[in-house]
Amino acid sequence: MYSDAKKEYAAYGIDTEAAIASLRDIPVSIHCWQGDDVVGLDGGGALSGGIQTTGNYPGRARNFEELKADIKKAFSLMPGKKRLNLHASYAVGAEVDRDKYEPKHFAEWVKFAKELGLDGIDFNPTMFSHKNVKDGLTLSSPDESIRKFWVEHCKASIRIAEYFAREMQSHSCLNIWIPDGYKDVPADRLTPRLRLKKSLDEILKLNYDREKVIVAVESKVFGIGVESYTVGSNEFYQNYAAKNNICCLLDNGHYHPLEYVSDKIPALLAFYDKVALHVTRGVRWDSDHVVLFEDELKEIAKEIVRNNATDKVLIGLDYFDASINRLSAWVTGQRAMQKALLYALLINHEELKALQEKSDFTALMVKQEEYATLAFGTVWKEYLKREQMKEDYLTEIKEYEREVLSKR
Ligand code: RNT
Ligand code: ZN
């Protein structure tokens, strides 16, 4: 079947072997927080900040050892190049508060990432689920001691990201997301933004290696309980990032449902050397559903591939589902991302672009439709085989559920 598929694609001018080889090389950063419903290991408290996990599926990882075991199992079922995306709340054995976190609190994670042969570690300061989120505000807080605390936390996080980059010999994307906003109509939308700007300026004064640590800012349109106003909005961060030479992170659950991140990627590529992503699946709102192989994901992958931006777009996953087996959620989303990338790699973009340039929109439409029914599934299966993986990951996960998760 594969040799037939290979011929079918060759007729379109596509080399399936080259596509498989490229796919293997595109790193995807996998979030640690799918394993424990974003609870973390530092006892920060209940999940807050306008995000929520729903569901009560048994077997949640309750500590570092369980989380590591689950990551190890889930990663063993994910093909391709993998990075680990950590949140600061996953510090191990820290007896100090978040503003004082140090590389040593993450040394165990580095050891683990090396053991798994991962490509690198990305990082996020955790500015939610903590007593110092005062009245829902962090970096934009009018309370100076609160604002300072979170500035220090971000600086500490940059130092930790530098340590990851050094140890893993790969960049580390440091993504700043804050929950700050208001439930109802504010009286002043500017002052909190000016305070956020001041906080970011203070954080970036830190002398860090800009080659190794890629600082990104993640915007959002609204959160649960923060429906009327978000301090870190899209316009705010895009302007801040452009003026300060840092990176924007686009989470595709963070826009109006009719705005598409696939269209924003090339808009930003016209101005930025790097664009970071949180790939998720919004269902009506920022619901963080498990990523599936669907249209918008394909469009996102196409924009990455056809603009030769696989080293410019930093792909990270961000979803959390507690209503189904958490390992299955992890693997399904990561495989969906890989499928979308493969799908995009199996398109003759040069030919399609030429049709567009010639304004032959008739042929363009017909050709694009043809791609939808080529033997994509066969090439995907071949890729899995070469990665020494089966299409079926459910059987193994169910077995792990019986042997491990159900005993927790
Ligand atoms: C929240 C943001 C943010 C978080 C993670 C846990 O809406 O998407 O990225 O999901 O940092
Ligand atoms: Zn996100």
Side-chain angles (χ1 to χ4, degrees):
M1 277 173 79
Y2 175 64
S3 69
D4 280 350
K6 198 171 164 176
K7 278 185 215 137
E8 189 180 22
Y9 277 106
Y12 284 78
I14 298 150
D15 178 355
T16 53
E17 291 297 315
I20 288 175
S22 303
L23 179 58
R24 230 184 238 131
D25 245 24
I26 305 174
V28 175
S29 192
I30 299 139
H31 54 314
C32 69
W33 52 91
Q34 164 56 45
D36 72 336
D37 310 343
V38 211
V39 172
L41 303 172
D42 70 352
L47 184 57
S48 73
I51 52 177
Q52 224 170 48
T53 44
T54 51
N56 209 358
Y57 201 85
R60 182 182 77 78
R62 296 160 302 179
N63 52 51
F64 183 44
E65 291 311 315
E66 290 179 355
L67 186 57
K68 273 198 301 185
D70 292 357
I71 290 176
K72 195 168 175 185
K73 183 73 200 175
F75 278 35
S76 77
L77 300 166
M78 297 175 186
K81 199 181 255 187
K82 292 171 283 292
R83 302 170 61 83
L84 180 63
N85 201 359
L86 291 177
H87 242 285
S89 53
Y90 291 81
V92 181
E95 275 158 7
V96 289
D97 212 340
R98 289 185 189 164
D99 58 332
K100 305 242 159 41
Y101 282 179
E102 287 178 55
K104 68 174 184 208
H105 301 120
F106 294 87
E108 286 296 320
W109 280 113
V110 168
K111 204 173 123 203
F112 180 60
K114 285 182 180 170
E115 257 167 48
L116 294 188
L118 302 181
D119 179 56
I121 305 179
D122 299 305
F123 201 46
N124 306 259
T126 312
M127 292 180 272
F128 51 83
S129 309
H130 190 279
K131 61 182 191 321
N132 284 354
V133 179
K134 194 178 167 195
D135 304 324
L137 304 176
T138 63
L139 291 176
S140 76
S141 173
D143 181 328
E144 263 306 283
S145 65
I146 294 292
R147 200 183 62 78
K148 277 269 171 330
F149 175 86
W150 293 113
V151 166
E152 287 310 312
H153 175 54
C154 287
K155 287 187 184 162
S157 298
I158 293 180
R159 283 187 218 105
I160 294 161
E162 259 185 326
Y163 158 73
F164 288 150
R166 216 169 35 239
E167 285 289 328
M168 302 300 292
Q169 300 198 9
S170 170
H171 71 270
S172 178
C173 179
L174 186 284
N175 175 49
I176 296 179
W177 173 73
I178 57 166
D180 302 31
Y182 292 115
K183 181 184 174 80
D184 235 313
V185 189
D188 180 357
R189 294 169 190 270
L190 179 58
T191 306
R193 289 193 173 129
L194 292 177
R195 272 195 300 263
L196 172 56
K197 187 169 169 233
K198 185 168 143 206
S199 297
L200 293 170
D201 288 346
E202 287 170 18
I203 294 162
L204 294 174
K205 272 204 197 101
L206 187 78
N207 190 13
Y208 69 95
D209 187 340
R210 284 182 171 241
E211 287 287 303
K212 294 205 178 101
V213 176
I214 298 164
V215 173
V217 280
E218 178 182 9
S219 73
K220 188 164 177 172
V221 64
F222 82 97
I224 305 170
V226 217
E227 288 88 356
S228 297
Y229 168 72
T230 298
V231 183
S233 63
N234 180 54
E235 292 74 13
F236 175 86
Y237 278 138
Q238 276 192 16
N239 282 290
Y240 188 88
K243 286 207 164 190
N244 294 279
N245 220 356
I246 59 167
C247 178
C248 285
L249 183 141
L250 312 177
D251 180 311
N252 61 306
H254 288 190
Y255 298 89
H256 186 279
L258 291 178
E259 267 186 88
Y260 293 106
V261 159
S262 54
D263 186 57
K264 295 178 192 296
I265 294 169
L268 292 192
L269 284 175
F271 296 96
Y272 293 86
D273 178 48
K274 295 261 187 287
V275 177
L277 298 183
H278 266 182
V279 180
T280 187
R281 182 165 53 99
V283 178
R284 303 192 187 279
W285 56 280
D286 175 40
S287 51
D288 296 296
H289 279 59
V290 176
V291 170
L292 298 177
F293 183 49
E294 54 170 16
D295 289 350
E296 172 58 359
L297 188 68
K298 288 182 202 161
E299 283 307 306
I300 288 174
K302 283 189 210 165
E303 292 301 339
I304 298 171
V305 168
R306 69 184 170 203
N307 296 315
N308 296 320
T310 52
D311 56 351
K312 291 184 180 157
V313 179
L314 310 175
I315 306 171
L317 305 175
D318 182 16
Y319 47 84
F320 23 97
D321 195 334
S323 73
I324 55 174
N325 180 300
R326 293 172 185 79
L327 281 84
S328 174
W330 242 328
V331 178
T332 301
Q334 191 271 357
R335 285 194 179 200
M337 186 71 239
Q338 289 253 303
K339 280 181 198 161
L341 289 165
L342 181 63
Y343 188 83
L345 287 162
L346 292 171
I347 293 174
N348 187 338
H349 296 290
E350 294 318 310
E351 188 189 10
L352 298 183
K353 282 181 190 176
L355 291 173
Q356 177 178 315
E357 294 291 282
K358 279 195 301 191
S359 301
D360 189 350
F361 303 120
T362 308
L364 178 58
M365 181 186 280
V366 172
K367 285 267 173 193
Q368 282 184 315
E369 270 301 282
E370 277 177 25
Y371 277 109
T373 49
L374 296 189
F376 167 77
T378 307
V379 185
W380 170 249
K381 282 197 187 85
E382 181 68 17
Y383 170 67
L384 287 175
K385 200 169 104 194
R386 303 219 189 147
E387 290 285 285
Q388 277 136 33
M389 274 176 210
K390 289 190 279 239
E391 252 217 302
D392 169 27
Y393 50 91
L394 191 58
T395 308
E396 253 192 71
I397 286 178
K398 285 281 179 197
E399 194 182 304
Y400 187 78
E401 184 171 304
R402 267 194 313 276
E403 304 290 312
V404 183
L405 304 178
S406 68
K407 294 180 182 143
R408 285 181 185 165

